[in-house]
Amino acid sequence: TTEAFELTRQAFDIADRYQVPVFILTDQYLLDSFFDTPRFKIEGEQPVNHIVKTDADYRRYRLSDTKTEIDTTAETELHPENDPHSETDGLSPRGIPGYGEGRVRVDSDEHTEEGYITEDVVGVRPPMVRKRLYKKHRLLQAAALPPELIGPAKYSTLVVCWGSNRNVAVEAVRKIGSDEIALLHLTQLYPLHPSVAEYLYRAARTCLVENNAGGQGADLLHHETGRKIDEKILKYSGIPFSVEELQEKIEKIAGVHNE
Amino acid sequence: MSNISYLNNNTEIAWCPGCGNFAIRKTMDKVYQELGIDKKKFVMVSGIGQAPKSPHYLDVSFFNGLHGRSLPTATGIKLANPELTVVVESGDGNVYGEGGNHFLHALRRDIDVTVIVHNNMVYGLTKGQASPTSRKGFQTPVQTTGVLLEPFNPLATALGLKGGFVARANAADAEQTKEIIKAAIQHKGFSLVDLFQVCVSFNKTNDYKWFKDHTYYLEDDYKPDDRMQALQRAMEEDPMPLGIFFRQENDKSFHEKLPAYSKDNSPLYRRKVNFEELNKIMDEFV
């Protein structure tokens, strides 16, 4: 529960800092559940609003501080994320109307640094795409939230879950109490923290727990890490997992024998 | 009153020669000058279309977003910072079609924005499909046998939803249009101006002559304080009245009714978290 509160706070900060939409994945199961939770502290620094005061010559979609000739070299085409002609980190400082001297022009069509619609497919569009996609993606990956490993560090079977399944999966894995079985709870699904791949590759056997028929979480993990997920525990009746049900299924996969 | 220009010549104007938007652009320049609009506290919001390009050609801050979504964006901008004056310029397809749902609920909110709908009875940007306000029988490359649907009546809809400022203008009449739009911006609450204009490239039916023949101005002694009367006039189909049909302000703007603005009227970005208060609330659950 504390995680739900804290992650939500972080989600807003990520959205503001990196200027991207952030999806907080809740579901009816989480929102219908009641929890007892210790009184956690709400304190700390004031949130940063990541807004700049605009100068008279403010450009909302600034590519870089220095006006260099836009010129696509072969090197940039091979490594678009290293494009020297746009902001190193893919972020143009965000100004808002009413705070400063400048005009803030925001557009949904492709646009120049000043925010005007452009049809310049040579000089403007490619560097803008490189800034928004290749460069920012690197930034978002570096800022990804790490997963949580519950259980033995030297596991051979790794159960993977995300979202509202955390508590039921933790309880199931603890009840099994095997020093071969651990649980990896993914706090952030995309972009994935680099440790997720490490945890997956260390397992002899991986198993994903999800409430759907397609097991798309496994596809995502495979796509992003290259590690194919060995087993899937899927429930698609619309009802959440029970601890006993999940425990039974995990034991079966891990080959644990019940006395 | 200011004597600085609100025109922006920093970018090439991407409208057809003869487009009705040119006259509207000149009118808006005069409107903003006569009202003395502070450029630093002003935002124009638009969706997608030819009309939504208007803010690009004026010296203003703007949010030119997605088709149909001018109103939700304008709502967000106004609520985040009520110190800003917010004007929406978009086309009839954008506001009454794709954005129809938002139109209904923005009226219910009575959010303090001014909505100027460039109504040329066609989808111009996409080259000539019928729009929500196209007349029955209007022929296009898509509606090859003529439009079968009843045209959307924005004024009647707005009046039925208790809209506080409902007006219609003809862009060809620059002086009257300027006065109507000025009144709309000064109105506290949601104001709608359905602004007839021509599309010289893709609507050869509803040209300057057609609009002149099928409209007339409300009488000089018409009083815009009777909603039922206004509704009756708004249902007139041919000719259609022009002018301010109805005007009545509520004492509180939408944002003034919200808890967030009940004790503090500063814009959200300047606010600080009150940890003491938050912790007090948390303690109530222990």
Side-chain angles (χ1 to χ4, degrees):
Chain A
T1 342
T2 331
E3 184 179 80
F5 185 91
E6 178 53 32
L7 283 182
T8 304
R9 193 196 60 75
Q10 281 186 274
F12 276 91
D13 185 63
I14 291 169
D16 275 348
R17 184 191 296 265
Y18 300 109
Q19 302 170 28
V20 286
V22 176
F23 293 87
I24 304 174
L25 299 171
T26 64
D27 50 39
Q28 187 174 348
Y29 175 42
L30 178 73
L31 298 175
D32 275 356
S33 302
F34 286 91
F35 300 91
D36 283 332
T37 176
R39 166 73 166 93
F40 54 90
K41 287 190 176 155
I42 309 175
E43 64 188 14
E45 317 244 319
Q46 283 289 330
V48 180
N49 67 17
H50 307 291
I51 288 171
V52 298
K53 193 167 183 186
T54 58
D55 291 327
D57 60 352
Y58 174 72
R59 288 169 279 143
R60 176 65 187 89
Y61 300 110
R62 194 180 79 188
L63 280 173
S64 96
D65 246 342
T66 56
K67 277 283 192 195
T68 54
E69 284 263 317
I70 305 289
D71 134 63
T72 305
T73 61
E75 171 63 31
T76 305
E77 276 175 8
L78 272 177
H79 296 286
E81 71 279 7
N82 292 332
D83 182 353
H85 299 294
S86 66
E87 297 290 343
T88 335
D89 59 4
L91 280 179
S92 305
R94 179 173 166 237
I96 55 171
Y99 183 44
E101 297 292 309
R103 303 280 175 267
V104 183
R105 301 185 202 93
V106 173
D107 205 274
S108 54
D109 203 316
E110 190 57 272
H111 42 257
T112 61
E113 291 184 77
E114 290 78 15
Y116 298 118
I117 292 175
T118 183
E119 302 294 313
D120 185 349
V121 298
V122 174
V124 181
R125 168 98 179 141
M128 284 293 177
V129 173
R130 286 193 284 268
K131 169 175 74 90
R132 281 191 302 256
L133 180 59
Y134 296 105
K135 291 190 163 201
K136 194 187 283 198
H137 188 74
R138 241 188 350 183
L139 199 65
L140 292 171
Q141 277 193 303
L145 300 174
E148 191 191 353
L149 183 76
I150 294 126
K154 290 205 158 50
Y155 52 82
S156 56
T157 299
L158 184 64
V159 180
V160 186
C161 75
W162 61 270
S164 61
N165 276 326
R166 181 195 178 277
N167 290 350
V168 69
V170 167
E171 202 175 332
V173 164
R174 286 204 175 130
K175 272 187 111 176
I176 299 171
S178 157
D179 54 10
E180 299 282 324
I181 305 173
L183 173 70
L184 188 71
H185 167 69
L186 302 176
T187 335
Q188 180 170 318
L189 285 178
Y190 189 83
L192 283 174
H193 192 267
S195 65
V196 173
E198 286 165 29
Y199 284 123
L200 290 176
Y201 278 103
R202 251 192 274 156
R205 193 187 297 110
T206 55
C207 164
L208 172 88
V209 174
E210 229 183 355
N211 291 75
N212 57 30
Q216 293 95 306
D219 296 339
L220 176 70
L221 290 171
H222 186 197
H223 182 265
E224 294 295 307
T225 67
R227 174 69 157 95
K228 195 167 198 302
I229 303 302
D230 304 300
E231 304 282 348
K232 294 179 236 189
I233 301 175
L234 302 178
K235 185 163 185 178
Y236 42 83
S237 63
I239 310 292
F241 284 104
S242 71
V243 175
E244 295 75 19
E245 168 185 24
L246 199 48
Q247 180 186 349
E248 200 183 299
K249 295 201 154 89
I250 294 171
E251 281 172 344
K252 204 153 164 206
I253 286 168
V256 170
H257 296 288
N258 269 332
E259 307 297 273
Chain B
M1 181 81 195
S2 85
N3 45 22
I4 44 160
S5 167
Y6 290 76
L7 297 177
N8 177 7
N9 298 306
N10 288 338
T11 186
E12 207 184 317
I13 297 187
W15 287 328
C16 302
C19 175
N21 281 321
F22 284 104
I24 299 174
R25 176 177 178 253
K26 289 229 170 74
T27 301
M28 296 314 291
D29 179 36
K30 291 213 178 76
V31 165
Y32 298 148
Q33 279 192 45
E34 288 179 25
L35 289 177
I37 296 279
D38 180 354
K39 290 181 186 181
K40 298 207 291 280
K41 290 211 155 114
F42 182 65
V43 182
M44 289 186 73
V45 180
S46 61
I48 296 296
Q50 295 296 357
K53 291 178 187 172
S54 302
H56 285 266
Y57 311 138
L58 294 168
D59 182 21
V60 296
S61 289
F62 64 74
F63 191 115
N64 179 195
L66 299 176
H67 188 49
R69 316 299 160 197
S70 347
L71 285 172
T73 318
T75 303
I77 291 172
K78 184 71 186 180
L79 288 179
N81 186 352
E83 289 176 1
L84 299 172
T85 301
V86 180
V87 171
V88 172
E89 266 195 84
S90 290
D92 50 284
N94 192 110
V95 181
Y96 307 143
E98 181 70 22
N101 177 281
H102 302 304
F103 181 65
L104 299 178
H105 302 295
L107 275 157
R108 293 175 57 218
R109 277 189 195 100
D110 195 28
I111 185 86
D112 186 12
V113 299
T114 304
V115 183
I116 301 164
V117 184
H118 295 220
N119 188 352
N120 60 4
M121 303 180 172
V122 75
Y123 278 99
L125 180 76
T126 48
K127 304 187 176 69
Q129 301 76 34
S131 79
T133 50
S134 299
R135 305 292 102 178
K136 275 200 278 212
F138 180 55
Q139 274 188 300
T140 76
V142 173
Q143 289 82 13
T144 49
T145 52
V147 171
L148 296 170
L149 282 66
E150 194 63 44
F152 180 76
N153 185 334
L155 302 196
T157 306
L159 287 164
L161 286 166
K162 306 280 205 72
F165 184 105
V166 179
R168 167 175 277 151
N170 181 352
D173 302 331
E175 187 60 34
Q176 291 94 321
T177 299
K178 173 175 64 94
E179 292 306 313
I180 290 170
I181 293 178
K182 275 165 66 184
I185 294 176
Q186 286 171 312
H187 172 85
K188 180 161 101 166
F190 189 93
S191 13
L192 172 67
V193 179
D194 187 47
L195 178 58
F196 283 151
Q197 64 159 105
V198 297
C199 173
V200 293
S201 299
F202 300 109
N203 186 348
K204 311 288 191 192
T205 308
N206 311 105
D207 55 14
Y208 285 106
K209 181 174 191 306
W210 188 92
F211 279 114
K212 197 156 168 77
D213 290 346
H214 294 269
T215 61
Y216 74 98
Y217 279 91
L218 291 165
E219 317 71 62
D220 287 339
D221 61 355
Y222 171 84
K223 286 200 169 33
D225 58 0
D226 181 343
R227 188 181 291 285
M228 293 311 288
Q229 212 209 115
L231 188 55
Q232 196 153 30
R233 305 303 293 269
M235 296 298 289
E236 288 174 26
E237 289 182 4
D238 194 2
M240 291 174 280
L242 301 171
I244 299 173
F245 284 61
F246 184 78
R247 174 171 33 191
Q248 187 178 85
E249 272 183 18
N250 293 321
D251 9 283
K252 276 194 177 171
S253 276
F254 179 65
H255 68 272
E256 287 165 336
K257 298 180 200 164
L258 296 176
Y261 285 100
S262 59
K263 293 190 206 130
D264 181 355
N265 58 12
S266 63
L268 299 183
Y269 77 94
R270 288 211 286 262
R271 306 235 183 145
K272 298 269 175 256
V273 174
N274 186 338
F275 286 109
E276 200 186 305
E277 181 122 17
L278 257 180
N279 277 297
K280 261 203 216 132
I281 294 171
M282 277 293 278
D283 286 335
E284 289 173 22
F285 290 95
V286 172

